[in-house]
Amino acid sequence: MTPHRIVVGAHYGWRDWLAQRVTAVVMAVYTVLLLGLLLWFGGLDYAAWKSVFGNDAFRIATFVFMVALLWHAWVGVRNILMDYVKPAYVRLTLQVLVIGVLVGYAGWTIQVLWGGK
Amino acid sequence: MAAIDRPVAKPRPVYLNLFAIRMPLPAVVSILHRASGALLFAIGIPLALCAVQNALVSQEAWAQMRVNLDAPFPKLVVIVLAWAFIHHLLAGIRHLLMDAHVGVELGGARRSAALTLVLSVVLTIAIAVRLW
């Protein structure tokens, strides 16, 4: 009998492929939600903006959006670096920089959403 | 035993001249998807965070931001980023539809590529007109 063994591949490619699509759908839903709420509250003025982002549930939704965005950006930028940057040490350095920037964006998001309170 | 005749190697291009290649429309959408994604990562995210931050601080900060945005260069940046966002979103939806086997045949892929390009430009122009 043949043992059920997977002989090739690390299989993270398929995981990234799926993550890229799930995060994309999350972001698309959030975009529709944000545009809908802004329209509901009367457009792009200060009052509308404040009412939309003043809501705690919407802040959580925004945070979920940002996590999806940063994950999505990591998969995308990593693919670009793997395609165009050939020397391994340069690529590794750039990848570490990108991770640093993404973590920084995450911290900044938390500050923007909850820092003022 | 006779030596096996090997086919003579054809001359191959040693480099790819991107200006000599006529890219099909789906390829144009694909490379713009990548370029717009890179643009959104490097410029879009920090500027969006900056904008939301200002918008949430106070009415004065909001008013100040509107004054700062009211110049040709900032407007141009906003318009380019709006295009990047819209193109990336539409090309992404096209991708998801193709994952679901919608429009994977050549004709459909060309039509949806053209639609993505045209719609993203039309929507961007609509935003630009409102902004200017």
Side-chain angles (χ1 to χ4, degrees):
Chain A
M1 228 183 96
T2 321
H4 292 283
R5 203 170 46 164
I6 298 162
V7 238
V8 284
H11 298 278
Y12 56 76
W14 126 262
R15 212 169 53 205
D16 284 347
W17 180 91
L18 189 62
Q20 203 65 342
R21 277 142 185 87
V22 173
T23 52
V25 170
V26 169
M27 289 188 287
V29 170
Y30 175 87
T31 302
V32 173
L33 182 71
L34 176 62
L35 289 179
L37 283 173
L38 283 174
L39 282 178
W40 178 264
F41 282 103
L44 258 178
D45 63 352
Y46 182 72
W49 200 256
K50 200 79 186 169
S51 349
V52 170
F53 278 93
N55 184 300
D56 278 330
F58 189 75
R59 287 186 183 180
I60 298 285
T62 304
F63 186 69
V64 171
F65 164 81
M66 278 308 286
V67 171
L69 171 55
L70 298 178
W71 191 345
H72 191 92
W74 167 243
V75 175
V77 174
R78 200 192 65 141
N79 279 352
I80 292 179
L81 293 176
M82 287 195 301
D83 278 354
Y84 302 134
V85 184
K86 296 302 171 192
Y89 60 95
V90 180
R91 192 173 59 236
L92 183 65
T93 307
L94 288 174
Q95 284 177 342
V96 170
L97 278 176
V98 168
I99 292 173
V101 169
L102 291 173
V103 173
Y105 285 161
W108 190 2
T109 303
I110 294 170
Q111 197 199 349
V112 166
L113 289 174
W114 291 288
K117 294 283 124 178
Chain B
M1 222 174 130
I4 300 162
D5 284 334
R6 292 182 185 282
V8 178
K10 285 184 197 159
R12 302 272 181 187
V14 287
Y15 69 99
L16 290 172
N17 184 352
L18 288 177
F19 298 99
I21 296 172
R22 240 190 81 241
M23 288 206 292
L25 280 185
V28 175
V29 169
S30 176
I31 191 64
L32 288 179
H33 196 186
R34 180 164 268 203
S36 59
L39 205 62
L40 289 169
F41 161 73
I43 306 172
I45 299 177
L47 283 188
L49 278 169
C50 226
V52 175
Q53 190 165 33
N54 276 323
L56 291 179
V57 170
S58 65
Q59 184 117 38
E60 291 75 48
W62 171 273
Q64 184 59 47
M65 186 175 66
R66 294 208 65 153
V67 172
N68 291 343
L69 281 177
D70 197 18
F73 182 69
K75 278 184 184 177
L76 193 67
V77 171
V78 170
I79 291 168
V80 169
L81 286 172
W83 168 81
F85 180 83
I86 295 166
H87 180 88
H88 203 83
L89 178 63
L90 293 178
I93 291 170
R94 178 172 176 268
H95 238 303
L96 288 174
L97 286 174
M98 287 181 135
D99 287 341
H101 304 286
V102 177
V104 280
E105 72 289 349
L106 185 58
R110 275 190 188 141
R111 276 193 299 277
S112 64
L115 186 67
T116 303
L117 290 169
V118 170
L119 206 56
S120 58
V121 169
V122 167
L123 289 173
T124 305
I125 289 172
I127 289 173
V129 167
R130 277 212 62 169
L131 207 62
W132 230 289

